[in-house]
């Protein structure tokens, strides 16, 4: 569809070119027709001039005298008088000869007088017959339409009849014009007309082109832009509908699981509550069921969160606002964290999971570990998702490129369903899921590979795929990283089983890494949690129960301000969207007042996880930012950063 958009800018140029061609052709046709008509008119004009001279000459002679002329009259006074009158016309620069004729029979005419000074015809000499002469013999002045030849040359002649007093044709005055003169007249006048037409054509083309450029082009351009906008809007609408349909399905699935499982927990709990609790075996079974259901709720919640994080990540990358945070990290920790997570999923599906890391891989690299992990995790999760039997293997190695850059290479290989050759190119398109009939039971949004590819682009890395349909696939990624320490990752290469347990948590649509679970108790600390939703306050209170922190709660901004005025809190957790006074207003009131907690760290605690939210709240002055749903370990880690050190007693779980 966007090809149309690209073409639409050419469309205006094409329309203008077409209009210009049509204009040119029509102008040329118009000029051609006009020239033909002009040439006819020029010819008539020349003939009229010839006829005017012949008529004038004929008008100057007496018809009775001319008609009465005999061969014996040559040289008589009448003859000479006539001769002198016609001689006036003989000296006209345009004509060649002037003479008088007399009809002696059907198409027969003889000379009665010839005014040629050098080789005049004699009285009685026959003359060439032409159609125009025939007309003049019948009393109608006429001009030759085609040239004729005689012993004096090639001519066009004009014939004018002279009538006697009885109205009979007494003779014909003929003026000869050379054919050369006639053709010259015709062509020179035609050329001057052609030149004028060409000038007019040129000027009109220039004017038309200027008008087209000035008036039509902006109009056509505007049309093109409108078309472009229309296509874009339609396409965006289409993508949005696809997206919503997809998301609705993907989000409903875990919600359905959560609500369903929660219902089971409630039923099971009510059942145990109402029973007389006398059968410990029954109680144990019931508790086991409840724990199983709660685990399912946890899983579904994590899935839901992963989907929302994918969407946020994708929109962040799409809007060009995903920044890389490069810092040193340990490759072995990263491998073990990923390995532990994927191993559980692979084990659940009965798959072998193998990590084959090059023992010589440097252990300390510098780069955006979070994004490297995200890329590898996405590919590994897909490998597990789309494999029912066999194994998933991650091979890791490193090499130095020609320009000296260190390249981390990972190949994720599976023995799964594979991808058809013709589907390979669709693989990285957003929301693109392949073979939906076959994969309808596999959860996914079609965003994972699109995010993976864009993240790799951001890191100057690349990805390639090889796949055998029905046999399995290999996704290979190359990511440039800087080497911090040449120490190798592990002596024998990383394996899954001998790595520490890693916790996985979520933050602003991305994953926040906690490689070691560190905890603390702070029995002397006091925290205020503010939220208008009681469940959220309950969750925070429970999540922090083990830390022994004293937790007060407030269900509105105004209550929070009042409590913070009276009591000193070591940290305040402030929800944002609350009716009446919102979190930001409450925060400013606490800071600007003289209350007991006016200097306490205030952490923004919100479900607003869209691109730029974190930066906005930090700019507002909040000490930190954490998104809902809250992960207990992430919250504990954040509190460790903000509670007074003296009140914290660290414990390692
Ligand atoms: P999804 O959320 O659907 O997994 P992805 O963008 O991660 O979205 O993948 C897009 C599609 O590519 C998947 O729907 C699946 O059809 C196909 N795919 C991805 N990885 C594999 C794999 N390892 N084996 C087979 N098919 C795969």
């Amino acid at each position: 569809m966007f090809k149309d958009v690209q073409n639409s800018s050419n469309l205006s140029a094409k329309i203008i070119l077409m209009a210009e061609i049509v204009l040119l052709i029509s102008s040329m046709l118009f000029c051609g027709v006009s020239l033909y008509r002009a040439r006819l008119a020029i010819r008539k004009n020349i003939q009229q001039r010839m006829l005017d001279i012949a008529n004038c000459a004929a008008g100057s002679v007496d018809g009775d005298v001319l008609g009465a002329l005999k061969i014996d009259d040559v040289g008589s006074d009448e003859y000479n008088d006539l001769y002198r009158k016609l001689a006036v016309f003989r000296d006209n620069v345009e004509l060649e000869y002037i003479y008088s004729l007399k009809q002696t029979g059907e198409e027969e005419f003889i000379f009665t007088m010839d005014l040629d000074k050098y080789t005049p015809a004699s009285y009685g000499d026959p003359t060439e017959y032409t159609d125009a002469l025939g007309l003049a013999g019948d009393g109608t002045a006429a001009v030759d339409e085609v040239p004729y030849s005689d012993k004096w040359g090639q001519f066009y002649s004009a014939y004018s009849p002279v009538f006697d007093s009885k109205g009979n044709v007494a003779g014909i005055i003929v003026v000869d014009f050379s054919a050369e003169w006639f053709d010259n007249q015709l062509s020179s006048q035609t050329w001057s007309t052609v030149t004028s037409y060409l000038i007019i054509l040129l000027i009109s083309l220039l004017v038309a082109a200027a008008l087209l450029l000035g008036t039509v082009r902006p109009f056509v351009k505007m049309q093109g832009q409108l078309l472009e906008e229309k296509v874009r809007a339609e396409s965006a609408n289409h993508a949005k509908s696809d997206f919503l349909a997809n998301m609705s399905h993907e989000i409903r699935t875990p919600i359905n699981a959560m609500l369903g499982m929660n219902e089971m927990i409630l039923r099971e709990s009510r059942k145990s509550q109402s029973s007389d609790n006398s059968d410990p075996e029954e109680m144990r079974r019931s508790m086991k069921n409840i724990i199983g259901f709660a685990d399912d709720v946890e899983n579904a919640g994590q899935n839901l969160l992963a989907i929302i994080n994918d969407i946020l990540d994708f929109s962040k990358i799409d809007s060009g606002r995903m920044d890389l945070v490069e810092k040193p990290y340990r490759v072995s920790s990263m491998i073990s964290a990923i390995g532990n997570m994927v191993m559980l999923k692979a084990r659940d599906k009965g798959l072998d999971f193998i990590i084959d890391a090059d023992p010589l891989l440097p252990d300390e690299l510098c780069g955006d570990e979070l994004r490297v992990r995200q890329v590898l995790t996405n590919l590994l999760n897909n490998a597990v998702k789309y494999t029912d039997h066999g194994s998933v293997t991650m091979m890791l190695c490193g090499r130095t490129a020609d320009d000296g850059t260190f390249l981390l290479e990972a190949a994720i290989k599976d023995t799964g369903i594979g991808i058809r050759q013709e589907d390979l190119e669709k693989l990285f398109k957003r929301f693109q899921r392949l073979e939906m009939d076959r994969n309808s039971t596999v959860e996914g949004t079609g965003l994972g590979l699109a995010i993976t590819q864009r993240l790799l682009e951001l890191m100057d890395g690349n990805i390639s795929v090889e796949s055998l349909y029905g046999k399995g696939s290999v996704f290979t990624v190359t990511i440039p990283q800087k080497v911090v320490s040449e120490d190798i990752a592990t002596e024998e290469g990383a394996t899954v089983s001998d790595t520490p347990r890693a916790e996985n948590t979520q933050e602003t649509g991305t994953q926040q890494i906690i490689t070691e679970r560190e905890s603390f108790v702070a029995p002397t600390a006091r925290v205020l949690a503010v939220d208008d939703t009681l469940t959220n306050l309950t969750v925070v209170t429970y999540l922090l129960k083990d830390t022994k922190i004293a937790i007060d709660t407030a269900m509105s901004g105004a209550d929070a301000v009042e409590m913070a005025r009276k009591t000193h809190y070591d940290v305040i957790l402030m929800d944002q969207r609350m009716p009446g006074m919102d979190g930001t207003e409450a925060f400013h009131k606490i800071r600007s007042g003289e209350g007991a907690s006016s200097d306490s760290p205030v952490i923004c605690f919100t479900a607003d996880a869209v691109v730029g939210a974190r930066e906005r709240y930090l700019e507002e002055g909040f000490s930190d930012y954490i998104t809902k749903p809250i992960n207990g370990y992430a919250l504990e880690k954040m509190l460790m950063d903000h509670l007074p050190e003296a009140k914290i007693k660290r414990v390692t779980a």
Side-chain angles (χ1 to χ4, degrees):
M1 179 126 44
F2 271 98
K3 275 188 184 146
D4 292 355
V5 175
Q6 284 160 5
N7 289 341
S8 70
S9 53
N10 295 335
L11 190 67
S12 56
K14 278 186 187 157
I15 292 176
I16 287 170
L17 187 70
M18 292 267 289
E20 282 176 354
I21 290 172
V22 168
L23 192 76
L24 190 69
I25 292 174
S26 56
S27 306
M28 283 165 72
L29 277 175
F30 172 75
C31 281
V33 171
S34 304
L35 270 177
Y36 175 72
R37 294 173 67 94
R39 198 174 160 85
L40 286 182
I42 290 165
R43 195 181 167 88
K44 281 260 167 299
N45 208 14
I46 298 168
Q47 289 175 330
Q48 189 57 53
R49 256 166 61 205
M50 293 159 65
L51 212 51
D52 285 347
I53 296 171
N55 285 340
C56 244
S60 69
V61 298
D62 184 331
D64 290 333
V65 177
L66 184 67
L69 273 188
K70 305 272 181 315
I71 190 159
D72 301 336
D73 295 330
V74 176
S76 68
D77 286 350
E78 289 86 2
Y79 181 90
N80 289 339
D81 189 40
L82 264 179
Y83 190 95
R84 272 196 300 279
K85 282 179 179 156
L86 289 178
V88 175
F89 295 95
R90 183 190 58 193
D91 300 331
N92 184 303
V93 287
E94 291 184 319
L95 62 82
E96 292 288 321
Y97 302 111
I98 180 164
Y99 47 90
S100 64
L101 301 176
K102 184 173 166 181
Q103 188 158 14
T104 52
E106 181 82 3
E107 297 188 1
E108 278 178 17
F109 292 81
I110 57 160
F111 281 91
T112 51
M113 181 183 290
D114 185 359
L115 285 95
D116 182 16
K117 283 183 190 158
Y118 310 107
T119 54
S122 306
Y123 186 100
D125 284 351
T127 184
E128 286 295 318
Y129 177 80
T130 66
D131 291 341
L133 176 56
L135 279 173
D138 293 340
T140 308
V143 180
D144 287 322
E145 292 297 336
V146 286
Y148 69 91
S149 301
D150 57 18
K151 65 175 182 182
W152 289 278
Q154 199 182 24
F155 303 101
Y156 285 90
S157 299
Y159 308 88
S160 183
V162 181
F163 297 92
D164 61 17
S165 50
K166 291 186 190 134
N168 297 322
V169 177
I172 295 150
I173 301 297
V174 184
V175 279
D176 285 353
F177 296 83
S178 74
E180 191 189 344
W181 172 86
F182 186 90
D183 291 341
N184 279 346
Q185 286 290 312
L186 194 60
S187 53
S188 69
Q189 288 190 41
T190 306
W191 269 116
S192 59
T193 312
V194 167
T195 315
S196 334
Y197 270 122
L198 280 179
I199 290 170
I200 291 169
L201 179 68
L202 201 70
I203 291 172
S204 56
L205 276 180
L206 285 176
V207 170
L211 282 176
L212 272 177
L213 288 177
T215 321
V216 180
R217 177 163 276 173
F219 174 73
V220 174
K221 204 169 161 192
M222 202 176 78
Q223 291 283 68
Q225 278 165 354
L226 283 177
L227 176 74
E228 199 172 310
E229 269 161 31
K230 185 171 166 257
V231 171
R232 208 171 270 156
E234 275 173 7
S235 162
N237 218 7
H238 208 248
K240 208 168 94 185
S241 309
D242 279 359
F243 175 79
L244 286 178
N246 215 326
M247 282 307 125
S248 166
H249 173 260
E250 292 311 320
I251 291 172
R252 272 167 189 277
T253 309
I255 289 180
N256 183 49
M258 286 162 85
L259 293 178
M261 288 301 136
N262 196 50
E263 174 68 30
M264 304 297 282
I265 292 172
L266 288 173
R267 279 187 204 177
E268 200 67 39
S269 311
R270 282 189 197 119
K271 208 166 72 190
S272 350
Q273 203 179 32
S274 59
S275 70
D276 58 4
N277 292 349
S278 56
D279 184 354
E281 185 54 30
E282 176 76 4
M283 274 296 289
R284 219 169 50 79
R285 220 177 12 248
S286 182
M287 280 316 290
K288 200 176 160 206
N289 284 345
I290 290 174
I291 291 168
F293 297 143
D295 272 348
D296 289 342
V297 171
E298 161 83 16
N299 277 341
Q302 291 300 344
N303 277 345
L304 188 58
L305 205 54
I307 291 167
I308 289 165
N309 287 336
D310 268 2
I311 298 168
L312 288 174
D313 271 354
F314 190 81
S315 82
K316 214 169 175 182
I317 299 173
D318 232 25
S319 61
R321 297 183 65 179
M322 167 82 79
D323 294 324
L324 295 178
V325 183
E326 297 193 350
K327 47 184 192 227
Y329 65 94
R330 289 188 54 209
V331 179
S332 52
S333 307
M334 181 184 75
I335 298 174
S336 58
I338 298 172
N340 279 320
M341 205 174 65
V342 178
M343 187 177 61
L344 295 177
K345 294 184 182 177
R347 195 192 287 155
D348 283 350
K349 285 189 80 178
L351 302 173
D352 290 334
F353 178 50
I354 304 144
I355 293 182
D356 178 3
D358 182 349
L360 298 177
L361 198 61
D363 192 33
E364 207 171 358
L365 295 178
C366 180
D368 192 330
E369 183 194 0
L370 177 61
R371 302 300 162 198
V372 175
R373 272 180 66 161
Q374 200 174 351
V375 164
L376 299 179
T377 312
N378 276 353
L379 296 175
L380 283 167
N381 281 342
N382 273 356
V384 173
K385 260 199 309 188
Y386 298 104
T387 303
D388 291 330
H389 311 283
S391 61
V392 169
T393 309
M394 174 166 76
M395 281 169 286
L396 274 168
C397 62
R399 67 181 165 90
T400 309
D402 294 344
D403 62 359
T405 322
F406 177 79
L407 299 174
L408 179 66
E409 274 185 352
I412 286 98
K413 189 174 163 200
D414 65 59
T415 55
I417 60 171
I419 302 156
R420 287 200 185 101
Q421 247 0 70
E422 64 267 28
D423 284 341
L424 284 177
E425 62 184 40
K426 301 184 203 157
L427 216 52
F428 299 101
K429 287 193 181 147
R430 57 191 182 154
F431 308 125
Q432 185 78 54
R433 306 199 66 207
L434 310 174
E435 294 194 84
M436 279 312 285
D437 42 344
R438 188 172 172 181
N439 292 335
S440 58
T441 53
V442 183
E443 282 173 7
T445 53
L447 276 179
L449 285 182
I451 293 175
T452 302
Q453 192 196 34
R454 284 162 175 75
L455 283 178
L456 283 165
E457 268 170 24
L458 211 65
M459 294 190 283
D460 290 330
N462 59 54
I463 184 165
S464 61
V465 198
E466 280 174 43
S467 189
L468 265 183
Y469 189 56
K471 297 260 187 253
S473 315
V474 188
F475 286 76
T476 308
V477 294
T478 309
I479 314 169
Q481 299 282 275
K482 292 180 198 90
V483 178
V484 177
S485 153
E486 292 290 348
D487 291 352
I488 55 177
T490 61
E491 291 275 309
E492 301 113 35
T495 59
V496 180
S497 51
D498 60 2
T499 51
R501 174 102 172 92
E503 298 299 339
N504 185 28
T505 173
Q506 316 289 330
E507 173 89 348
T508 62
T510 57
Q511 290 167 313
Q512 181 187 329
I513 301 160
I514 301 172
T515 47
E516 272 175 31
R517 193 184 141 192
E518 201 181 17
S519 193
F520 70 99
V521 286
T524 54
R526 181 167 284 271
V527 166
L528 173 64
V530 189
D531 199 308
D532 60 320
T533 308
L534 185 59
T535 321
N536 290 341
L537 292 174
T538 312
V539 169
V540 170
T541 312
Y542 267 86
L543 287 177
L544 294 178
K545 200 169 161 203
D546 289 350
T547 63
K548 302 195 166 54
I549 295 173
I551 297 173
D552 289 349
T553 57
M555 289 192 64
S556 73
D559 283 357
V561 174
E562 189 51 25
M563 289 169 80
R565 195 178 61 77
K566 290 189 190 144
T567 315
H568 170 76
Y569 291 104
D570 296 304
V571 168
I572 298 172
L573 285 171
M574 181 69 79
D575 178 31
Q576 286 306 312
R577 267 193 220 174
M578 291 183 286
M581 189 187 295
D582 69 15
T584 305
E585 192 184 342
F587 161 68
H588 286 304
K589 282 221 153 60
I590 292 170
R591 274 278 178 279
S592 58
E594 303 260 294
S597 297
S598 60
D599 294 327
S600 301
V602 180
I603 297 172
C604 171
F605 161 56
T606 176
D608 183 1
V610 296
V611 178
R614 180 190 181 84
E615 291 72 17
R616 213 175 52 242
Y617 287 116
L618 293 185
E619 259 169 39
E620 199 69 53
F622 283 95
S623 315
D624 218 329
Y625 165 89
I626 190 164
T627 54
K628 296 175 197 171
I630 283 205
N631 176 291
Y633 303 123
L635 180 61
E636 280 184 26
K637 189 171 183 298
M638 192 168 281
L639 286 178
M640 267 195 272
D641 291 342
H642 294 285
L643 287 173
E645 194 60 42
K647 293 190 176 177
I648 293 177
K649 209 169 130 218
R650 288 168 199 271
V651 281
T652 307

